[in-house]
Amino acid sequence: MEIKKNNCSFVISDDEYSRSWFDNNKLDAWEQDTFWILEHYKNHKESLYLDIGAWIGPTVLYSANIYNKVIAVEPDPVALERLKKNLSVNSFDNIVIVEKGLSSVDGASDFGGNGELGNSESTLLVANKDDYLSYSGRHTTNHNHDDIVVIETVTIESLIEQQQINPSHISLIKMDIEGGEKIVVPGLVNFLKNHKPNFYISLHRCFLRDSEIEEIIDILFRIYDNCYIFSSDGKKQLVDKIFIQQNDLCSLVFECAQPSTEPSTEPSTEPSTEPSTEPSTEPSIEPSTEPSTEPSTEP
């Protein structure tokens, strides 16, 4: 099965689950903001894309068309098998799979829950299962939590060292890990402060308490100058913490302002193509307020 989107194409294996998910032009409707984000940052720095929560590969395979190198981090053993099958029927030589879960420590962790492994909702949150099941959310209303495995975990510092990544070459980090951001983001603080990579995060309000979402947002705003959302038609909009929380936004891109090397001394006579530098106070676009029920993990 060949998948085409924008100017990108890739092949899906004969794996029944993958074919079922990608069938009927799934990518034409799924997470349109994600693909605008991938396109927007493809030429930044050295075009290295770090995908935390690669799942069966929709963002990985797409990005292999437009980035020089793709690092795909995925610990779910069922999703990994499907991801490898999908990679095997393509000729990409710029994808590296890391069969570990990004976390705050190097070691091991329980992982899974939220239904069957491989369904895109496996999470690190089951490492503290009693706490995870002590408050309501999609995890308590829609899922059982019997399918749990032990995975190897790795910190961002160890991942960078093991994969010999120059942090200054990273164009974009995407993190979609089904609530695991509660565990991982605090462990990223030093790395993000030191290197300020463009950081795209999917917040899983359906799996986390409001206070936990607020803490993650606060951490990232203490590090980054700007936060943006992208609409389904690619419009990039600057937002602040109040707007994010008032609208229950989930898909956020954090950037640091880039210093101008050649400041202009003349006012521009061309219409600006840059997004507004003032945070929006009006909901001018309507991005999804719920994270996808598809890819993640750490789908």
Side-chain angles (χ1 to χ4, degrees), residues 255-266:
E255 286 184 18
C256 278
Q258 299 298 318
S260 175
T261 56
E262 296 182 3
S264 172
T265 57
E266 296 294 330

Side-chain angles (χ1 to χ4, degrees), residues 27-205:
L27 290 194
D28 288 346
W30 179 76
E31 288 194 10
Q32 292 305 292
D33 57 339
T34 292
F35 294 98
W36 285 112
I37 291 166
L38 293 172
E39 290 284 347
H40 184 81
Y41 294 98
K42 65 185 178 183
N43 292 322
H44 284 227
K45 299 186 177 181
E46 301 299 318
S47 193
L48 190 156
Y49 169 56
L50 183 54
D51 193 319
I52 311 299
W55 193 44
I56 63 175
T59 51
V60 170
L61 294 164
Y62 181 92
S63 296
N65 287 267
I66 57 175
Y67 286 81
N68 290 336
K69 187 172 185 178
V70 177
I71 308 293
V73 181
E74 178 55 58
D76 183 318
V78 176
L80 268 171
E81 181 180 358
R82 293 167 179 158
L83 174 61
K84 290 177 181 178
K85 285 182 178 179
N86 289 332
L87 263 59
S88 71
V89 294
N90 288 273
S91 58
F92 297 120
D93 61 2
N94 59 340
I95 301 174
V96 176
I97 298 178
V98 178
E99 300 181 29
K100 300 177 183 180
L102 191 69
S103 190
S104 56
V105 295
D106 294 318
S109 175
D110 284 350
F111 182 82
N114 291 344
E116 295 180 356
L117 289 168
N119 71 353
S120 89
E121 298 194 14
S122 299
T123 180
L124 285 169
L125 294 174
V126 294
N128 190 344
K129 190 174 178 181
D130 288 344
D131 178 69
Y132 187 42
L133 300 182
S134 69
Y135 57 94
S136 62
R138 192 161 76 208
H139 56 296
T140 57
T141 59
N142 291 21
H143 295 306
N144 64 59
H145 300 277
D146 301 326
D147 223 355
I148 296 175
V149 294
V150 176
I151 61 161
E152 184 177 355
T153 61
V154 62
T155 63
I156 188 67
E157 289 81 8
S158 295
L159 176 65
I160 293 297
E161 180 181 359
Q162 291 166 12
Q163 296 301 318
Q164 299 181 324
I165 298 170
N166 183 336
S168 67
H169 291 178
I170 297 173
S171 301
L172 178 68
I173 297 175
K174 183 219 84 178
M175 178 182 290
D176 186 356
I177 55 174
E178 307 306 306
E181 58 268 23
K182 165 189 169 180
I183 297 169
V184 177
V185 168
L188 295 179
V189 168
N190 288 337
F191 177 81
L192 296 180
K193 280 184 177 179
N194 290 334
H195 302 290
K196 304 290 198 307
N198 298 315
F199 186 65
Y200 171 33
I201 185 170
S202 178
L203 296 173
H204 290 79
R205 296 177 183 272

